[in-house]
Each structure stands twice: as structure tokens, then as C-alpha cells.
């Protein structure tokens, strides 16, 4: 017997000619505008974003398809399936399918997460009181004040999340709300009104498109980062072991004989681009480049450093690594042995970034005293923040913003954002992850908006 939320039978039913064509129409509404613009296939999304996200995206389109009525009889796939094949499903599966038939996707703010059990969801588009949702899997990843696009349906007296769920970060949320505002707001006001079910159902593709526009844009930007020569960013660390009996002093003299090497200190050089003697180039204004540029306008191609028994070259592309290796070999000759090269992608570099000193427990202190020190630091930091201009608050201080009704809502959103970010600390037991912002809600007198 199929599982309670198993839609496999219904998915197979889509293979019928009529429903296949109908699903293709809905599928194109959800993904066509972006896939066609990027000249991509849906399968490419799994390669770029990961199989799990691609599956969730497909699920969002499929669930939208289940709600729609098409020409002819029967007009809805769920109605026909339950009539013809419903006897194969258990009562809960039939109830789940019937609930999806009339479901509406919306944007929810999550709170009171009990991992593996439940969460509370507040509908940001339709309003109303927050509702409790029985959920096992998603609650293991969701944090306080996360935003998700999802369908919440009632099945046999319990609210549950449907399978198509997309986590909305701040940027994706702004894209979605901006799009909805353009559709539903009055011309003289950009404030988004409460949206009715029938209207929200009509714009379901906007949720997948907004999420995909943000996620795909960031992923592609990461993949195609290039240096000034147009080479893809691929960090190369080339380590030359010093030959036996060779000292660092011997290497320094040879490196300083290379015109392209600009010495910063006793053991560090910037390898800069070639420039005709006597020429000086001003910094290029308005040119987008992730390369470092010297004061004289010369672009830094890499760095060379003496570390113990090694001469190390670091650069950001395979082409530069090859060119730099040849340059160093020509200058130092047999003073070094065959080099070893380590290659890392931008994603690996980001993943290797250590936590900042302010978030790391001092190893020389007892754990309880270290935690107390961090909490005291956070208290001071956030108390100072109350009197500093905040970009999210229109460059007003939280105390200033909290004096108006519009500002109070912005302050609440700011506090939720900070709580959400700290809850995402890699160590859930760390003082940052467990820091309580309740005192700030009370001090700014916005605790009534913490829901």
C-alpha cells in the first residue's frame, strides 16, 4: 500500500496524452521565461543548483498543475484520478490529493520550530493568524524566522506541508514581493494588499520564477567568475621546495632580479603585469575586476612568498600559474626542486573560511567563562547598534525607526533577520546561535510584532 503522501500513482497518470500536454503548459509557465532566456534545459538546473532543489522546483510546478482546470471533461487530473484509480490509494493519500486539488501556494514566515515535529507558519500574503503545522523533515533544517514558499494543506484534521517547498532568502523575497506588488498594488500605492486565494493561485509561477532568478543568478555568477584575462577563477598554490643547501637569502636575490616582482617585505612579493619602462598607468575607474590593482595601476597577477623551506606562488587561474611557474624557474633555476600544485575552486575557498575571532571560544579559557565573555561582547555590540544608522531601516537608528508605525514594522523585520542569521551558526550550541534578542524587542517596544 502506498505511503500517506505518495503521489507516484498520480504522477504516472500524467503520462496520458491529454494530461501530458496540460502539464507541459504549466511547466512552461513556471520555467520557460528563465530557461528560454538562458538557453538551458530543466536538467541543467540539477547540475547547477543540485538535484534536491531541482526536485523541489519540479514539485512546485506539479502541485500547481494539480489545482488547475482545463478545457473538456474531466477538467482536472486529481478529479479524474480519484474517480478512476482512487480505490488503489489509502484514505490518507486520497485526502492529501483532494487537499492539493484546492491548495494555494503562499509565502510563510516560520517560527517556534520543534525539530522533527512541528512549526508555526504566518502567511505573509493572505494574512490571518499563524497556524501550527505538523512537519518532520523540513523542521530539521528550518530556523526561526525563515521564509518559505509552500502549500500548507489540511489532511485528516492536521496541517501539513506539501512536497514543493522553496526557502526564500532576503533577496528572493524582495524579488517576489516586488513582482506581486506590480500585479496587485494600486497605482498610487506600492503597498501590497492582502491577496485572495483565487488571485494568488493565478500567479503561482511567480514563486518559482522569483526563487529561480535569485538562486540561478548567484550560482552562475559563482561559476563564471573571471580574471582580467577572461580566465575562470581557479586558485593555484604552487610550492617549490628549496634545493638542499639553498637559503632564503639566495632566493631573494634571484626574485629581485625579476622586473615583474614587487617586493613588499623580506619574504613577500607581488607579481605584477608587465609594463613598458617609464610608463605609469592610472587606476581604471569604473572597470569591474576582482583582481588587485597597485597604486600605479598595475594589476597583481599573483603573490610569491618564502615559507620555511618552500617558495610559494599563489594565483587565480591555470594560465597565470603556468606563466608564473616558468618565470620563477627561469630566475631561480636549480635553487628549487620540482613544484607541487594545489588547485581550489571559489566554492572551496569560501567553504574553508574560518570563523571570525569574535565568534570563536578562546581555547585558553574555561568553556563557561569563554561563553560568558562572548555573551557580554554581544550585549555590548547590540546595545551600541540601537543608536547606529541601519541600512534596513532607511539609515535610521533602531530607536528612531521605532517611533513610527511603519518604522516599527521595519525594526521587527530587522530583529527577525538578525535572529535568523545567528540561528544559522554552524554550531547550534555556540553562544551566538543561542543568543537571545528578547531584550531588544522589549527595549524598542516592538514585542507585539514578534509573531
Amino acid at each position: 500500500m502506498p505511503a500517506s503522501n505518495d503521489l507516484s500513482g498520480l504522477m504516472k497518470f500524467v503520462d496520458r496524452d491529454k494530461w501530458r500536454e496540460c502539464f507541459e503548459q504549466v511547466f512552461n509557465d513556471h520555467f520557460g521565461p528563465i530557461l528560454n532566456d538562458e538557453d538551458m534545459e530543466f536538467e541543467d538546473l540539477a547540475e547547477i543548483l543540485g538535484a534536491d532543489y531541482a526536485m523541489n522546483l519540479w514539485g512546485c510546478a506539479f502541485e500547481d498543475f494539480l489545482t488547475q482546470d482545463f478545457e473538456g471533461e474531466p477538467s482536472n487530473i486529481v478529479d479524474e484520478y480519484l474517480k478512476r484509480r482512487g480505490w488503489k490509494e489509502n484514505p490518507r493519500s486520497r485526502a492529501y490529493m483532494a487537499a492539493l486539488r484546492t491548495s494555494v501556494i503562499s509565502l510563510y514566515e516560520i517560527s517556534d520550530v520543534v525539530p522533527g515535529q512541528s512549526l508555526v507558519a504566518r502567511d505573509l500574503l493572505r494574512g490571518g493568524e499563524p497556524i501550527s503545522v505538523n512537519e518532520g523533515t523540513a523542521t530539521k533544517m528550518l530556523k526561526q524566522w525563515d521564509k518559505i514558499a509552500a502549500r500548507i494543506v489540511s489532511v485528516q484534521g492536521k496541517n501539513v506541508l506539501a512536497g514543493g517547498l522553496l526557502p526564500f532568502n532576503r533577496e528572493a523575497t524582495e524579488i517576489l514581493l516586488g513582482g506581486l506588488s506590480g500585479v496587485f498594488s494600486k497605482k498610487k500605492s506600492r503597498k501590497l494588499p492582502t491577496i485572495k486565494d483565487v488571485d494568488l493561485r493565478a500567479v503561482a509561477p511567480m514563486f518559482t520564477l522569483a526563487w529561480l532568478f535569485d538562486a540561478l543568478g548567484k550560482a552562475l555568477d559563482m561559476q563564471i567568475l573571471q580574471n582580467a584575462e577572461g580566465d575562470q577563477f581557479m586558485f593555484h598554490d604552487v610550492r617549490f621546495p628549496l634545493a638542499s643547501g639553498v637559503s632564503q637569502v639566495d632566493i631573494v636575490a634571484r626574485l629581485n632580479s625579476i622586473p615583474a616582482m614587487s617586493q613588499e617585505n623580506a619574504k613577500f612579493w607581488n607579481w605584477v603585469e608587465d609594463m613598458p619602462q617609464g610608463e605609469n598607468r592610472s587606476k581604471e575607474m569604473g572597470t569591474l575586476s576582482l583582481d588587485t590593482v597597485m597604486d600605479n595601476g598595475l594589476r597583481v597577477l599573483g603573490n610569491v612568498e618564502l615559507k620555511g623551506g618552500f617558495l610559494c606562488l599563489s594565483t587565480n587561474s591555470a594560465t597565470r600559474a603556468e606563466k608564473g611557474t616558468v618565470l620563477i624557474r627561469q630566475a631561480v633555476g636549480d635553487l628549487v626542486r620540482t613544484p607541487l600544485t594545489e588547485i581550489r575552486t571559489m566554492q572551496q575557498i569560501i567553504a574553508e573560511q574560518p570563523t571570525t575571532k569574535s565568534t570563536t571560544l578562546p581555547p585558553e579559557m574555561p568553556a563557561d567563562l569563554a561563553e560568558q565573555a562572548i555573551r557580554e561582547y554581544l550585549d555590548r555590540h547590540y546595545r551600541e547598534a540601537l543608536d547606529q544608522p541601519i541600512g534596513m531601516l532607511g539609515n535610521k537608528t533602531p530607536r528612531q525607526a521605532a517611533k513610527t508605525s511603519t518604522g516599527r514594522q521595519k525594526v521587527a523585520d530587522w530583529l527577525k533577520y538578525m535572529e535568523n542569521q545567528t540561528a544559522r551558526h554552524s554550531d547550534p550550541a555556540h553562544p551566538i546561535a543561542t543568543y537571545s534578542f528578547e531584550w531588544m524587542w522589549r527595549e524598542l517596544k516592538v514585542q507585539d510584532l514578534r509573531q
Side-chain angles (χ1 to χ4, degrees):
M1 182 172 289
S4 58
N5 291 349
D6 184 10
L7 299 178
S8 58
L10 192 52
M11 291 177 182
K12 292 178 181 178
F13 209 65
V14 177
D15 288 336
R16 297 191 168 202
D17 290 342
K18 173 186 176 180
W19 297 123
R20 187 187 307 117
E21 293 178 2
C22 293
F23 178 63
E24 288 175 356
Q25 295 175 24
V26 177
F27 184 88
N28 189 62
D29 289 339
H30 281 259
F31 306 111
I34 286 183
L35 294 182
N36 295 338
D37 186 57
E38 296 291 340
D39 194 22
M40 297 169 56
E41 300 292 336
F42 184 80
E43 290 71 20
D44 296 328
L45 297 182
E47 294 287 334
I48 298 172
L49 302 175
D52 289 343
Y53 278 132
M55 185 180 300
N56 278 352
L57 287 164
W58 188 93
C60 288
F62 182 71
E63 290 168 1
D64 181 27
F65 166 63
L66 299 183
T67 70
Q68 297 200 23
D69 290 292
F70 300 90
E71 293 183 358
E73 289 294 338
S75 63
N76 177 269
I77 188 174
V78 176
D79 293 345
E80 183 180 13
Y81 180 80
L82 291 179
K83 181 179 179 180
R84 293 177 177 272
R85 304 287 177 84
W87 58 272
K88 287 187 174 184
E89 306 288 344
N90 61 43
R92 183 173 175 82
S93 289
R94 292 196 297 271
Y96 180 58
M97 293 178 189
L100 285 176
R101 164 73 169 99
T102 58
S103 66
V104 179
I105 191 170
S106 192
L107 185 68
Y108 294 93
E109 184 178 72
I110 303 305
S111 62
D112 300 330
V113 179
V114 181
Q117 296 184 37
S118 64
L119 56 83
V120 172
R122 183 167 68 94
D123 196 320
L124 299 177
L125 302 178
R126 293 180 291 177
E129 292 297 318
I131 60 174
S132 179
V133 180
N134 290 80
E135 170 58 36
T137 304
T139 51
K140 297 176 182 178
M141 299 176 288
L142 292 173
K143 303 297 182 182
Q144 182 85 346
W145 310 127
D146 272 351
K147 293 180 178 64
I148 61 172
R151 295 171 188 268
I152 297 178
V153 295
S154 179
V155 180
Q156 296 182 337
K158 293 183 178 180
N159 295 318
V160 299
L161 286 172
L165 182 153
L166 295 173
F168 266 63
N169 59 26
R170 185 181 174 191
E171 295 80 9
T173 299
E174 290 177 352
I175 294 171
L176 175 64
L177 295 181
L180 293 174
S181 179
V183 174
F184 296 111
S185 294
K186 296 180 181 179
K187 293 183 179 180
K188 295 182 179 180
S189 173
R190 300 303 293 173
K191 184 178 180 181
L192 191 64
T194 300
I195 306 175
K196 298 178 181 178
D197 285 7
V198 63
D199 295 326
L200 199 54
R201 190 176 288 116
V203 295
M206 291 185 67
F207 290 82
T208 47
L209 289 170
W211 186 91
L212 192 53
F213 183 84
D214 173 69
L216 191 59
K218 290 176 179 175
L220 290 176
D221 284 347
M222 183 67 72
Q223 289 185 4
I224 63 174
L225 281 177
Q226 298 176 342
N227 60 22
E229 292 89 1
D231 298 323
Q232 183 176 350
F233 265 62
M234 193 69 70
F235 293 89
H236 287 63
D237 295 318
V238 186
R239 293 162 55 87
F240 298 84
L242 303 189
S244 178
V246 173
S247 69
Q248 291 188 354
V249 174
D250 299 324
I251 299 294
V252 169
R254 297 287 186 92
L255 287 178
N256 284 333
S257 69
I258 304 175
M261 292 294 171
S262 174
Q263 188 170 15
E264 289 292 316
N265 58 46
K267 297 184 178 182
F268 188 91
W269 290 258
N270 285 310
W271 169 34
V272 298
E273 62 183 338
D274 296 329
M275 183 180 67
Q277 188 172 4
E279 181 179 333
N280 186 70
R281 181 183 304 162
S282 60
K283 291 186 178 181
E284 301 173 5
M285 301 301 294
T287 301
L288 179 61
S289 174
L290 294 183
D291 287 324
T292 302
V293 178
M294 303 282 284
D295 288 338
N296 60 3
L298 290 180
R299 184 172 289 108
V300 177
L301 304 180
N303 303 123
V304 177
E305 186 174 9
L306 282 167
K307 297 180 180 179
F310 292 89
L311 175 62
C312 304
L313 165 68
S314 299
T315 189
N316 62 22
S317 75
T319 301
R320 289 183 180 180
E322 182 179 355
K323 182 179 178 180
T325 297
V326 171
L327 192 66
I328 290 174
R329 277 287 202 185
Q330 291 175 343
V332 303
D334 57 3
L335 296 184
V336 297
R337 298 198 299 269
T338 303
L340 302 174
T341 302
E342 179 185 5
I343 303 174
R344 291 173 294 168
T345 64
M346 176 68 81
Q347 290 90 334
Q348 289 172 321
I349 292 290
I350 293 174
E352 292 169 3
Q353 293 302 306
T355 54
T356 62
K357 292 181 179 180
S358 63
T359 65
T360 304
L361 297 178
E364 69 278 5
M365 294 178 63
D368 56 342
L369 292 180
E371 290 187 17
Q372 180 181 348
I374 290 179
R375 293 188 189 283
E376 290 176 352
Y377 165 80
L378 292 174
D379 284 340
R380 292 194 302 272
H381 172 74
Y382 288 122
R383 186 162 293 282
E384 291 173 359
L386 296 182
D387 297 299
Q388 296 176 354
I390 305 295
M392 284 183 66
L393 306 179
N395 290 324
K396 293 182 179 180
T397 71
R399 296 190 196 278
Q400 290 172 336
K403 294 179 180 179
T404 66
S405 57
T406 301
R408 292 180 76 251
Q409 185 58 59
K410 290 183 177 180
V411 167
D413 291 340
W414 172 65
L415 289 170
K416 288 179 180 180
Y417 176 76
M418 290 197 298
E419 286 189 355
N420 180 256
Q421 295 302 298
T422 56
R424 292 193 167 280
H425 194 279
S426 57
D427 179 4
H430 194 281
I432 283 186
T434 60
Y435 185 79
S436 175
F437 289 83
E438 290 186 10
W439 68 270
M440 295 179 72
W441 289 87
R442 292 193 301 270
E443 184 146 337
L444 294 170
K445 297 181 173 59
V446 293
Q447 59 268 39
D448 58 308
L449 300 177
R450 195 175 187 273
Q451 57 179 353

